[in-house]
């Protein structure tokens, strides 16, 4: 049984940010996610941010091989993984080097001194061992431990050999950190036992290391100024929660959409960071009738999805920016065919190959405009990992109701970041069953439109009597046959545009996320900046500023009432992780002098950065 | 039609759409269209379950003229659309229509992959050795030296042999026929349709406007007989006006040679027998070209294996048989916690 | 020798619009271009508009097989091929059916009655023969002739067989029309003799038909109200002129750019309507050291061009909208590599395959935004066929000076339309020689920038000492090595943007094309709408309206001073052959309520349509 | 270096760039890199004229580590960049680096076309039968049944044989070697470099992280000898631990069989002799796979023909020899008229 200092001996904290950093091989992602799971079970609100290198296994000890995992947990609701860590765990010199700059002043530094050997110091670019530099150390509260040695000691009895034994050092570290924050080891023990069910020795060694780290906290005398902490439970809405990453939420949302619509889900995809794990997640859901097709490239992937849609499936393709750049022609075809299709773009740092493992929001204009001809399509964006679930369903609903491809934007930060998510019940989600015409209606042709939605009928191959031909050439409005008639082309172009514009009637009106409908400053965001903006706006309002936030989940068409809302503010700022894209659209649409707050570093906004922008723009 | 009515016997007309056919007068595509429209009723094809799916090119206009389901997609990508469609509804009988430009230039990779995956579709490649629709540029099958608007001094690229590409990719049904040889083309298409898995059929097609008579040496009555070998499984590979020529494997080598029965003591027994299931033989036959060799027409290879779509859907069905997925259960799987 | 009515017997006209229309097989394009050549030699200003079907050889007699060629020629300078024809030549019922609606009231209709037989009438959808419908005919001035029969008679002596003999009927028609407008046959005769040098019989038959048609005009009694006309010479700037299509001008301009820069031209292209003829034209210029590569697809084409650029060539790719949609990823790479590259987009009707043989301006937003990530590149647009020559040179100049890909937009209308063009002299064009570094400069790395242009050095493989590695991953500003550093990415993104934005200093400032720098209404256009807008603005100004025109040849960056210019007008309208693209950019950039005048019919604007828009927006 | 200095003999180090190599520990790519860096000096390669050009993948990071010109392009397109570069500067010695995903999945078509055009480049395909960089999805060469993140129930697609794809496309130099067999790989690369025209070299490569030991049956000392046939032109195709096994053509058929010298009266004379110039033989050898057959390593086909780049540039040179173009003349050609 775990033993803890009694609650009153622990210092209570409102919120803590911990960053685990080590070599790619050090298991930091595991450590972080185990800490996350336990923290969630303890009833804290939390947000996480994994940040790993582009290399699969970068050579040990290098700075570019450092893998990090940050968790922010609190006794109140929080929305971001935190700006600066309160606690940094550095497993080697490279991890220290690349992360120490972010640690708060007087922050807690837990460092594995055993890794501070010559070779590692050199690889990290340290001429001298920083752990011997008192001036350096004095800036922080430091727990300097030879974690490697302690781990070896803890697992000695299992005779795994040094290399294998050392693999448990992340568990030792986790044990210590769990203790520091008053968390139990039992959830991780259970997880280890399950994970290594077939290798009981490894399981035992890891458990031993974990417990040893925990016990160390309990028994060892920590340096002065370092105590045991606790972060009381947050008051969260009642319900059953889980952690969920954006990509899992997306995959599950798409699957839920398939159930809600009664359509078979067919995914055509080609692996690409950071979208691949959506393919992986869906490939595991065959028992939901999900069919996944790893195509030969992105073009084949989207084409297969369109072929599937024509056949009556929920056709989906998942990718990232470079993949969308390849899919433009085929998406244009889907627009011309007026078939459903969901294109999920998990954005990453660009242009070109760019920074594949980093996050960015720089595909927005490509999503809205990146096709030949006048080729409008709805563009939606999820704003939190859990929101990926709901927006996937929304994308599907719009796609099948309006017979149009839909682009759904998320990003690397949402994809890999996890948040506690209140699990919805299927029974609470609105079904949108699709029925395919089976009888040949009077005057049937494939471009006969529903007068309200302007959608054409989804007549699927295999249906007797509805044989028809479709294709990428312009269609006659009245017969669906090929037409080069000038007026018809004008009319069809306008009709396609009107169909997409008309979706505005079918989405929620613009409303402030935080704040009033008028004031001094309106902050308009979209996508994964949600948490940081909300937090910053709340803080500004707490300081008495007349600031409101609008967060867009629909970018094309924009939600109704947005123009009026904007008109109620003296100034508008638009924070984006790109060089100014939504701001371009808003300026053009509403002739408002929207000011871009742009961060193009592959890193999410810090709350403080947006706070600063708010202050500057109020001044 | 009430359920008790006897199924109506369809005719060629039932497979013709109401659209005007818009190819140039004399285009070989007309003959192919006519053959398909005549052939489908003979195999009791159901227009509602039949799909023609094409890329872009003159040939790719084909779907508009069939009174079946039709999909005129984008340049080169028809195999990918077809794969998605087949995975969605495996009951459909899918015919991919492509050209030498559509299928071997921009679409070469999709063609290769649909064949190697062995998706159950028929892929008809209309090979006129030219880009028709864009007005006559040379294509990947154009002969070296062809003068075209983009190669005014004659083309330089080595042409590809479509059947070799297909075989190299691992295709399991490879055949070749000719636009105007209706009696040969019809049965070849029927064989392709019967084959489960991907079937590849190259059709030598004339483009009278931009590459007239590119196949004259194969098609003309006079030259034709000596320049064409009509393959029949299990039959010795004999050809020629007098049915006196044959193919033989050079002794202890890997090369074919043309011999004449009755000369040098050669008898019919010396002639190599066509074996549709022999892939190395298919490689040799595919590469044969006049004037040294006859052009092999018919089924070069027929070597069935389970189709991709069937296997994919079997995995799905297996998984479902072990228990249909439940979203609520999925969402609640793994670590959860409850806040009251 | 040709004989003409004496000048005083001919009615003098200021300007005439003739449309030749017939079956694709009737040779209307030839007829039109021969009439054009002779007209140009007569000293008229002119503009032409060929309009042919998507089918290669549509079945004879069908409406979709009709091929048209319109020429507008005048005694003053003109800028468009004319709104409505004064004269319509209809070679068969389908041509009559599809074109008669455009003929001016009381216009001259020349119709080949020999083709008005049952089968043809039916294919054209005529229940009755319109040539027997007096009510119909009375709306026009009609010359009804059995041109076929007359042609057969004229060429009988050559015994060509009816089919071949009938091929000359376009020449008979041309002969008649030449006579009507006081033009000689000799230029066409010379051309026929050269063209059919190897088939003298064909040459003779055609010449005979041509002369017979001409003689017919001379000798036959034309219906009352139809006389002989003349259109006096226009006062054009002195110089040597030729007719040139946009695609030829583009090909030749690119070749001139290769000479002016001293770079070898390497084109990677894949055939696509209406861009293919640029490839064809360049393939003929091998003696200029031009290398053309017909790639396996558009992606390979642009990649080959980028490979060529890296090697030190002027790398070019030519295509149309669907091709650009495929090239997005590779263009993004070129942006990241900061290598020169010219992407020519000869726009056509979209989206998807759309209307391949029709013109449109709907790739503008794709050109500016259609790539993943923040991927800015200069976008230029030619405004007349001849301007394609100069803009090709300008695109090359910017591309090599700033080490950036450049998009050059033209369209189907410019591509195929011809205009008389005052031939420039190479000596009058500014050279922009490129020199590649040969020595390793101090601190060399591939991303070392010129402080002024921000261009990086163009170090080409093969140069000893400059070995380096480039690629699509983000680069370190200071070393050119791969970098995932957050601040560096921000800086590099801003630098790439600044480089493109900085080109504004190096292009002509915005200035009115027609009119003053302030007034009631500013008409802003770009691309091939130039002629129609100019004409319309001139007419409005002649009617005393305070209207000016600005025509953009640079869309990214926009020319300096445009904002100030716009501010001088009460209202701005933006006519475009799309559903509103430049207007979006201007609205966003200048927060001006620019009103789109949008025509999306695959047809160029008529002057009258823009005039109407001007009037409505002044009201 | 002054012109009178004797040319400096380069070493392995001269071909290594200053960048840290970032592959996983134990990755087969290290061995390939080392072999190239060692081999290039032996053939007096000039770093300034040598170019490594890749797509995207672990393997495609290769150029960064070579102290030559290097170009890390986009996924699958390296052959196209290489073609443009070669047409610009035919003096460059261009090495394309690609993977089984880069070269056979997204880039399959460009690979096919660079080979059939016969552009004078070397194309090295690192075949680890997996997508390394994207963390382990199956690739077009993965074996049926492979469980990967995208095929949790095992893959279904029939794998392609890279050498067959190359041969099907008409490649004229096709070879195969192994990452860690430096003594075999080095000379194979030298042969490829010497070949004018496109050379295709498949390199069996281990990915210890995502597909460890995929080639163990070929690479392990024990199994290896029996599972590998080292080809030598003009030599009988003998292999096995005891050098006692050989390949024979089944009498009057087109199939190979493995026989044992000394058994059933088989002597060395019965064994088929490798002929690098025999394309049908290359097809048969390329398709051989353990356990039935040994894996053929070495040069499967070497059948030179004029290179594409040379022919393209010859057309340009011919045209220029007949008179350099003059722009003014061009602009003034055809119908012109003068207004005074
Ligand atoms: C993306 C794209 N690139 C290019 C084209 C232009 N294009 C249309 S058909 C075609 C080639 C057709 O050749 P082939 O497939 O041989 O068909 P054919 O016309 O000879 O039947 C080309 C290049 C296009 N429509 N789309
Ligand atoms: C357009 C595009 N699509 C997808 C990717 C993602 N991606 C990078 S490498 C790769 C596959 C690599 O496999 P392989 O070529 O076998 O190389 P390996 O890593 O195994 O050496 C993929 C799918 C990408 N970078 N760009
Ligand atoms: S161009 Fe050739 S292939 Fe195309 S329709 Fe005409 S004849 Fe047929
Ligand atoms: S993932 Fe595999 S192929 Fe890639 S570097 Fe690591 S070991 Fe090598
Ligand atoms: Mg063709
Ligand atoms: Mg691989």
């Amino acid at each position: 049984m775990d033993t803890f200092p009694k609650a009153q001996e622990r210092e209570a904290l409102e919120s803590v940010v911990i960053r685990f950093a080590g070599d790619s091989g050090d298991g930091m992602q595991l450590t972080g996610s185990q800490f996350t799971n336990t923290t969630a079970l303890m009833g804290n609100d939390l947000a996480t941010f994994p940040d790993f290198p582009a290399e699969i296994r970068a050579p040990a000890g290098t700075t570019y091989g450092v893998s990090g995992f940050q968790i922010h947990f609190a006794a109140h609701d929080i929305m971001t993984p935190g700006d600066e860590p309160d606690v940094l765990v550095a497993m080697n010199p490279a991890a220290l080097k690349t992360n120490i700059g972010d640690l708060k002043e007087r922050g807690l530094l837990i460092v594995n001194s055993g890794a501070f050997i010559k070779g590692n110091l050199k690889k990290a670019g340290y001429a001298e061992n920083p752990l011997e530099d008192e001036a350096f150390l004095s800036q922080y509260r430091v727990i300097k431990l030879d974690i490697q040695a302690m781990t070896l000691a803890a697992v000695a009895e299992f005779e795994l050999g040094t290399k294998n034994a050392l693999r448990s050092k992340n568990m030792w570290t986790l044990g210590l950190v769990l203790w520091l924050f008053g968390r139990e080891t039992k959830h991780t023990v259970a997880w280890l036992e399950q994970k290594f069910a077939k290798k009981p020795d490894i399981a035992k060694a890891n458990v031993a290391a974990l417990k040893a780290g925990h016990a160390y906290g309990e028994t060892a005398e920590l340096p002065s100024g370092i105590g045991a902490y606790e972060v009381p439970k947050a008051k969260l809405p009642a319900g059953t929660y889980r952690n969920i990453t954006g990509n899992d939420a997306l995959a599950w949302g798409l699957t839920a959409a398939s159930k809600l619509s009664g359509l078979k889900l067919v995914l055509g995809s080609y692996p690409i960071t950071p979208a691949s794990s959506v393919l992986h997640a869906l490939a595991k859901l065959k028992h939901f009738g999900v069919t996944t097709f790893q195509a030969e490239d992105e073009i084949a992937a989207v084409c297969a999805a369109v072929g599937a849609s024509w056949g009556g499936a929920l056709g989906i393709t998942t990718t990232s920016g470079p993949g969308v750049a390849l899919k433009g022609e085929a998406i244009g075809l889907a627009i011309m065919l007026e078939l459903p299709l969901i294109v999920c773009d998990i954005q990453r740092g660009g242009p070109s190959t760019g920074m594949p493992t980093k996050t960015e929001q720089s595909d927005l204009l490509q999503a809205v405009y990146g096709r030949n001809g006048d080729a409008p399509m709805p563009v939606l964006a999820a704003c939190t990992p859990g929101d990926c679930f709901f927006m996937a369903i929304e994308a599907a609903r719009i796609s099948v109701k309006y017979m149009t491809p839909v682009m759904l934007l998320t990003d690397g930060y949402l994809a890999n970041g996890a948040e506690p998510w209140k699990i919805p019940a299927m029974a609470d989600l609105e079904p949108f069953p699709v029925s395919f015409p089976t009888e040949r209606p009077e005057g049937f042709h494939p471009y006969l439109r529903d007068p309200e939605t302007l959608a054409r009928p989804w007549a699927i191959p295999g249906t007797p009597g509805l044989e028809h031909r479709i294709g990428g050439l312009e269609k006659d409005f009245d017969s669906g046959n090929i037409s080069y008639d000038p007026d018809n082309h004008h009319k069809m172009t306008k009709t396609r545009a009107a169909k997409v514009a008309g979706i505005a009637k079918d989405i929620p009106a613009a409303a402030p996320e935080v704040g009033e409908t008028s004031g001094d400053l309106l902050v308009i965001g979209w996508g994964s900046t949600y948490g940081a903006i909300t937090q910053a706006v709340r803080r500004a309002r707490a300081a008495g500023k007349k600031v409101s936030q609008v967060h867009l989940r629909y970018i094309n068409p924009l939600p109704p009432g947005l123009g009026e809302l904007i008109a109620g503010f003296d100034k508008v700022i638009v924070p984006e992780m790109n060089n100014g894209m939504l701001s371009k659209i808003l300026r053009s649409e509403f002739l408002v002098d929207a000011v871009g707050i742009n961060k193009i570093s592959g890193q999410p906004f810090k709350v403080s950065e947006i706070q600063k922008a708010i202050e500057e723009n109020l001044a | 039609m009430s359920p008790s009515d006897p199924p109506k016997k369809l005719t060629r007309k039932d497979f013709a759409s109401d659209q005007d056919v818009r190819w140039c007068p004399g285009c070989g595509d007309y003959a192919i269209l006519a053959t398909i429209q005549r052939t489908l009723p003979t195999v009791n094809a159901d227009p509602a379950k039949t799909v023609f799916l094409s890329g872009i090119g003159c040939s790719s206009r084909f779907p508009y003229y069939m009174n079946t389901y039709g999909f005129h997609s984008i340049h080169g990508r028809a195999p990918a659309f077809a794969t998605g469609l087949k995975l969605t509804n495996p009951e459909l009988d899918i015919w991919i229509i492509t050209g030498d430009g559509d299928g071997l230039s921009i679409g070469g990779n999709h063609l290769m992959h649909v064949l190697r995956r062995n998706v159950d579709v028929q892929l008809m490649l209309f090979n006129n050795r030219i880009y028709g629709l864009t007005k006559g540029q040379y294509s990947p099958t154009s002969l070296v030296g062809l003068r075209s608007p983009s190669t005014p001094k004659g083309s330089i690229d080595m042409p590809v042999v479509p059947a070799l590409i297909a075989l190299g990719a691992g295709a399991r049904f490879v055949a070749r026929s000719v636009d105007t040889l209706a009696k040969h083309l019809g049965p070849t298409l029927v064989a392709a349709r019967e084959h489960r898995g991907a079937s590849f059929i190259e059709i030598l097609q004339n483009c009278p406007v931009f590459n007239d008579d590119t196949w004259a040496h194969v098609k003309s009555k006079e030259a034709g007989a000596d320049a064409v070998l009509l393959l029949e499984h299990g039959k010795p590979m004999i050809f020629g006006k007098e049915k006196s020529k044959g193919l033989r494997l050079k002794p202890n080598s890997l090369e074919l040679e043309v011999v004449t029965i009755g000369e040098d003591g050669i008898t019919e027994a010396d002639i190599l027998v066509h074996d549709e299931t022999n892939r190395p033989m298919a490689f040799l036959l595919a590469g044969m070209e006049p004037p040294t060799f006859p052009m092999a027409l018919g089924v070069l290879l027929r070597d069935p294996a389970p189709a991709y779509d069937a296997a994919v859907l079997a995995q799905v069905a297996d998984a479902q048989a072990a228990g249909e997925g439940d979203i609520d259960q999925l969402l609640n799987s793994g670590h959860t916690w409850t806040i009251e």
Side-chain angles (χ1 to χ4, degrees), chain A residues 36-82:
Chain A
T36 303
N37 284 342
T38 296
T39 298
L41 291 171
M42 301 291 286
N44 293 126
D45 198 14
L46 62 84
T48 66
F49 179 46
D51 189 20
F52 32 75
E55 283 71 28
I56 302 300
R57 298 278 150 91
T62 57
T63 49
Y64 54 82
V66 172
S67 175
F69 187 103
Q70 182 161 315
I71 172 171
H72 183 186
F73 57 107
H76 52 254
D77 73 323
I78 54 172
M79 324 214 47
T80 77

Side-chain angles (χ1 to χ4, degrees), chain A residues 100 153 175 195 238 244 331 436 465 612:
Chain A
I100 189 70
K195 180 170 161 97
I244 195 153
I331 297 173
F436 305 112
K612 194 164 147 260

